[in-house]
């Protein structure tokens, strides 16, 4: 890992990274992800770095305690500085470069003031609420330093935590308004096991304060619970938060507010989405936390041709987002199992249709046991658990006969849509975004070129010790399958108009998952 302290060193390093390299016949330029921090790195920062690592060829982390964003009474001089530990953590996380300039390097002096520099000024209405109301000049200090860092590095993507939701909204707006071709990526809040959001400032807490600090999270959760029960009135939701916070009498709330997550304007009612944010003092330490209130759990629809990796991706996306993977394959298997145990001929469409009247399927996804390993989907038919039973060779041999029957598809469509009424599902197929869940919050159309899918298929065959098939033959078979899938009578392959197309050529499964999670986060906060 390069450790850079000067602008010259930084620019020379970036120039090296951006030398074009030939990938096959095409020149390619490395993509760069930037993670700006103030150091004292903790798992919250590391999750940003991890996300940047997954989506970029090169990752640069900056560590800079920015004087411009601290008020005169704030903790600039005592802010934790743990450079050697930060270097060690970044090395382990395979960061390519660490940029840690001094104030002199960035501003030409050790104690800069806003009057001495051109400033980037955020939209006033975005700084009048939440922290902006109590930290005058803070966000201007943030936008100014982030603008400098973005201009110096010109990354493809820059990563920020949702822990600082106001900061993220302001920076996204800044990048859009100033036409920076840089993606400002928001990352989920990382918490300790008792719910306290990681923060470099948690180090200031005494042991007693540390044991009391999770009350912020508990208060947010209590509002989430009221919201889930149908409470939409902001004042009552805020009151719910305040009542929970009162459990710790020494805690001094600074604000509890509900605003729109993008424009940061106060909401009287949370009709679709609201950002509920808290700032409070515990002793001398100022803590902030927030949560998003959403009226319905979102639905993610993933469509695309066979062989684009949909089902693995959909399972992993569901895991990452804490949503349920609606496993249609398991549903068809469940019907097949039901038909076989009733001793019905699977090809007898009428008898199968009759049997369906008494076939209530229930699914539940278990949490993942290891990273990259999706959780198991457990399956019941009429209260009998058949998770294992649907994986037998008999079921496997008959499932395609069952799945081709229009009545089966119609009945299962109804059951799938029933799951969808609560939201909170990820589903993949060919017509999910157009037919099954046309109102899905996020629709992704996952594709890969025929060549790439043929290569993947060849790799799979090899891994399964199957006889080798030439790439040309596989490409032909895939073309034929695409043609059939697009023209089939039942559930033809269709891309929804509002779907985002994701070409997966050259991307690993993890990279595809990361992109969908980022799209999801983005969508969630834009609505
Ligand atoms: P800081 O070093 O406090 O300026 O934070 C650097 C970046 O890490 C900011 O984008 C923060 O929002 C993000 N961050 C800090 N704590 C967390 C956390 N607990 N979870 C997710 N992101 C975080």
């Amino acid at each position: 890992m390069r450790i850079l302290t000067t602008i010259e060193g930084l620019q020379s390093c970036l120039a090296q990274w951006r030398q074009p390299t030939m990938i096959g016949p095409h020149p390619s330029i490395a993509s760069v992800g930037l993670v700006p921090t103030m150091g004292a790195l903790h798992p919250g920062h590391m999750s940003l770095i991890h996300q940047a690592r997954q989506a970029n060829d090169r990752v640069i982390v900056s560590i800079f305690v920015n004087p411009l964003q601290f008020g005169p009474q704030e903790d600039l001089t005592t802010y934790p500085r743990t450079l050697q530990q930060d270097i060690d953590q970044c090395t382990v996380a395979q960061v390519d470069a660490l940029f840690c300039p001094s104030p002199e390097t960035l501003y030409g002096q050790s104690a800069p003031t806003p009057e001495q520099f051109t400033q980037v000024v955020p939209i006033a209405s975005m700084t009048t609420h939440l922290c902006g109301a109590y930290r005058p000049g803070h966000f201007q200090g943030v936008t100014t330093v982030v603008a400098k860092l973005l201009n110096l590095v010109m990354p493809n993507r820059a990563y920020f935590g949702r822990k600082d939701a106001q900061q993220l909204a302001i920076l996204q707006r800044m990048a859009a308004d100033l036409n920076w071709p840089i993606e400002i990526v928001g990352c989920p809040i990382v918490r300790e096991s008792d719910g306290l959001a990681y923060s470099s400032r948690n180090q200031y807490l005494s042991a007693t304060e540390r044991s009391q600090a999770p009350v912020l999270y508990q208060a947010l959760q209590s509002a989430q619970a009221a919201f889930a029960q149908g409470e939409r009135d902001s004042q009552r939701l805020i009151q719910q938060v305040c009542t929970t916070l009162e459990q710790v009498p020494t805690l001094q709330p600074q604000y509890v507010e509900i605003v729109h997550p993008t424009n940061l304007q106060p909401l009287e009612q949370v009709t679709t989405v609201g950002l509920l944010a808290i700032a409070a003092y515990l002793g001398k330490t100022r803590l902030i936390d927030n949560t998003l209130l959403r009226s319905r759990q979102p639905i993610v629809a993933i469509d695309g041709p066979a062989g684009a990796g949909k089902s693995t991706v959909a399972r992993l996306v569901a895991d990452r987002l804490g949503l349920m993977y609606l496993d249609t394959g398991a549903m068809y298997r469940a019907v097949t199992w039901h038909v076989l145990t009733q001793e019905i001929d699977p090809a007898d469409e009428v008898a199968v249709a009759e049997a369906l009247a008494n076939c209530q399927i229930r699914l539940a996804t278990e949490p993942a046991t290891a990273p990259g390993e999706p959780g198991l989907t457990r399956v019941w038919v009429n209260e009998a658990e058949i998770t294992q039973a649907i994986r037998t060779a008999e079921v496997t041999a008959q499932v395609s006969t069952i799945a081709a029957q229009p009545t089966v598809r119609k009945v299962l469509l109804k059951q799938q849509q029933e799951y969808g009424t609560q939201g909170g599902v990820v589903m993949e197929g060919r017509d999910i975004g157009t037919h099954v869940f046309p109102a899905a919050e996020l629709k992704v159309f996952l594709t890969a070129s025929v060549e790439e899918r043929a290569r993947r298929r060849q790799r799979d065959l090899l891994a399964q010790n199957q006889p080798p098939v030439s790439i040309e033959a596989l490409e032909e078979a895939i073309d034929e399958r695409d043609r059939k899938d697009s023209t089939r009578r039942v559930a033809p392959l269709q891309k929804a108009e509002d779907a985002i197309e994701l070409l997966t050529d050259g991307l690993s499964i993890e990279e595809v998952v990361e992109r969908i999670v980022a799209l999801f986060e983005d969508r969630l906060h834009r609505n």
Side-chain angles (χ1 to χ4, degrees):
M1 184 176 70
R2 287 275 187 184
I3 299 177
L4 311 161
T5 55
T6 64
I7 289 175
E8 292 73 14
L10 171 71
Q11 291 189 327
S12 161
C13 173
L14 289 165
Q16 268 187 8
W17 289 354
R18 294 201 165 108
Q19 294 273 337
T21 49
M22 297 302 283
I23 296 190
H26 308 291
S28 159
I29 293 184
S31 58
V32 176
L34 169 69
V35 183
T37 80
M38 298 204 299
L41 300 184
H42 52 64
H45 297 116
M46 298 321 286
S47 78
L48 270 53
I49 293 173
H50 182 66
Q51 205 164 319
R53 187 65 284 168
Q54 304 250 317
N56 300 279
D57 300 314
R58 299 286 190 172
V59 174
I60 177 162
V61 173
S62 65
I63 294 183
F64 180 63
V65 183
N66 174 33
L68 280 188
Q69 70 188 66
F70 285 78
Q73 309 301 325
E74 293 183 356
D75 55 346
L76 174 62
T77 51
T78 52
Y79 194 84
R81 288 163 170 87
T82 58
L83 188 59
Q84 191 50 52
Q85 286 168 35
D86 294 349
I87 293 174
D88 295 344
Q89 290 197 64
C90 287
T91 309
V92 172
Q94 296 182 318
V95 170
D96 297 288
L98 196 59
F99 179 50
C100 27
S102 63
E104 286 85 348
T105 300
L106 268 199
Y107 294 114
Q109 55 183 289
S110 57
T113 62
E115 293 70 36
Q116 297 162 315
F117 302 93
T118 303
Q119 301 283 298
V120 178
V121 185
I123 296 183
S125 63
M126 293 183 82
T127 59
T128 42
H129 297 278
L130 313 180
C131 294
Y134 300 91
R135 303 187 70 189
H138 167 71
F139 286 110
Q140 181 171 316
V142 171
T143 43
T144 300
V145 77
V146 172
K148 283 167 83 69
L149 291 169
L150 293 181
N151 279 337
L152 285 169
V153 177
M154 269 297 160
N156 300 71
R157 301 175 193 86
Y159 294 81
F160 298 89
R162 296 201 183 282
K163 160 94 186 326
D164 300 277
Q166 185 171 23
Q167 165 175 288
L168 176 65
I170 289 172
L171 292 175
Q172 283 180 324
R173 185 63 194 260
M174 171 184 81
D177 285 352
L178 298 181
N179 307 98
W180 264 310
I182 297 170
E183 197 185 328
I184 304 292
V185 184
C187 306
I189 300 177
V190 181
R191 301 175 179 282
E192 301 214 36
S193 55
D194 59 8
L196 176 64
Y198 281 102
S199 163
S200 308
R201 290 189 168 101
N202 291 352
Q203 300 183 20
Y204 299 150
L205 298 169
S206 70
T208 311
E209 289 164 351
R210 172 63 191 82
S211 70
Q212 296 167 329
V215 75
L216 265 72
Y217 178 64
Q218 289 153 13
L220 295 172
Q221 290 296 91
S222 71
Q224 278 289 6
F227 188 75
Q229 299 290 313
E231 183 59 82
R232 294 290 178 268
D233 180 80
S234 293
Q235 272 319 313
R236 282 200 287 270
L237 289 162
I238 289 169
Q239 190 49 54
Q240 176 65 50
V241 171
C242 294
T243 308
T244 312
L245 293 178
E246 280 162 16
Q247 290 168 11
V248 178
T250 48
L251 186 105
Q252 306 236 313
Q254 189 175 54
Y255 66 75
V256 179
E257 283 188 71
I258 298 181
V259 298
H260 188 278
T262 318
N263 64 24
L264 305 178
Q265 295 313 293
L267 296 173
E268 279 179 23
Q269 295 278 320
V270 186
T271 44
T272 49
V273 64
L275 173 72
L276 166 60
I278 307 178
Y281 277 96
L282 203 46
K284 287 200 166 55
T285 310
R286 186 172 177 278
L287 300 173
I288 58 169
D289 203 347
N290 69 79
T291 190
L292 205 63
L293 303 170
R294 259 191 89 90
S295 51
R296 180 173 76 99
Q297 282 255 62
I299 293 179
V300 180
I302 302 179
D303 289 303
K310 280 174 302 176
S311 76
T312 317
V313 165
R315 282 172 194 276
L316 291 169
V317 165
D319 255 1
R320 278 287 302 275
L321 300 175
L323 305 178
M324 189 179 97
Y325 171 62
L326 193 48
D327 187 344
T328 43
M331 292 177 100
Y332 287 115
R333 282 176 175 272
V335 174
T336 310
W337 174 87
H338 181 67
V339 164
L340 291 174
T341 40
Q342 311 265 309
E343 297 186 356
I344 293 166
D345 173 5
D348 182 348
E349 291 200 19
V350 178
V352 170
E354 291 273 300
L356 278 172
N358 174 30
C359 179
Q360 191 60 41
I361 302 169
R362 193 157 65 82
L363 302 176
T365 314
E366 305 240 302
T369 44
E373 290 281 328
L376 174 78
T377 302
R378 295 177 66 191
V379 188
W380 293 261
V381 162
N382 306 335
E383 300 312 315
E385 181 166 357
I386 53 165
T387 309
Q388 302 297 330
I390 61 168
R391 301 289 158 193
T392 59
E394 289 101 306
V395 171
T396 304
Q398 298 297 339
V399 68
S400 59
T401 309
I402 292 288
Q405 297 175 19
T407 318
V408 175
R409 298 191 82 95
K410 205 166 115 197
V411 170
L412 288 194
L413 173 68
K414 208 165 140 246
Q415 293 201 12
Q416 288 151 8
Q417 287 177 329
E418 269 163 23
Y419 270 107
T421 52
Q422 297 296 320
V425 298
V426 178
M427 190 170 167
E428 50 89 11
R430 289 189 298 262
D431 61 349
I432 313 303
T434 48
H435 193 52
V436 183
F437 294 129
E441 277 73 6
L442 176 64
K443 299 178 188 176
V444 179
F445 196 78
L446 214 56
T447 59
S449 65
V450 171
E451 298 78 21
E452 171 86 9
R453 283 150 64 204
R455 273 195 299 276
R456 288 181 193 166
R457 182 90 189 108
Q458 200 177 44
R459 237 181 290 139
D460 289 348
L461 289 174
L462 204 70
Q464 295 160 9
N465 283 327
Q466 303 276 347
V469 183
S470 76
I471 284 282
E472 292 72 28
L474 288 171
E475 284 181 5
E476 230 168 83
I478 288 170
D479 264 336
E480 178 59 16
R481 170 101 196 244
D482 280 358
R483 199 186 53 73
K484 272 201 193 141
D485 278 350
S486 308
T487 53
R488 61 199 294 154
R489 194 167 50 97
V490 184
L493 174 64
Q494 284 175 332
K495 175 171 176 278
E497 261 182 21
D498 51 348
I500 297 170
E501 185 160 338
L502 192 59
L503 185 70
T504 63
D505 284 28
L507 296 180
S508 66
I509 297 270
E510 292 73 31
E511 286 168 330
V512 175
V513 171
E514 283 308 322
R515 292 206 185 175
I516 296 177
V517 169
L519 286 172
F520 177 87
E521 295 272 337
D522 205 49
R523 222 9 105 79
L524 209 66
H525 287 78
R526 247 180 244 276
N527 284 337

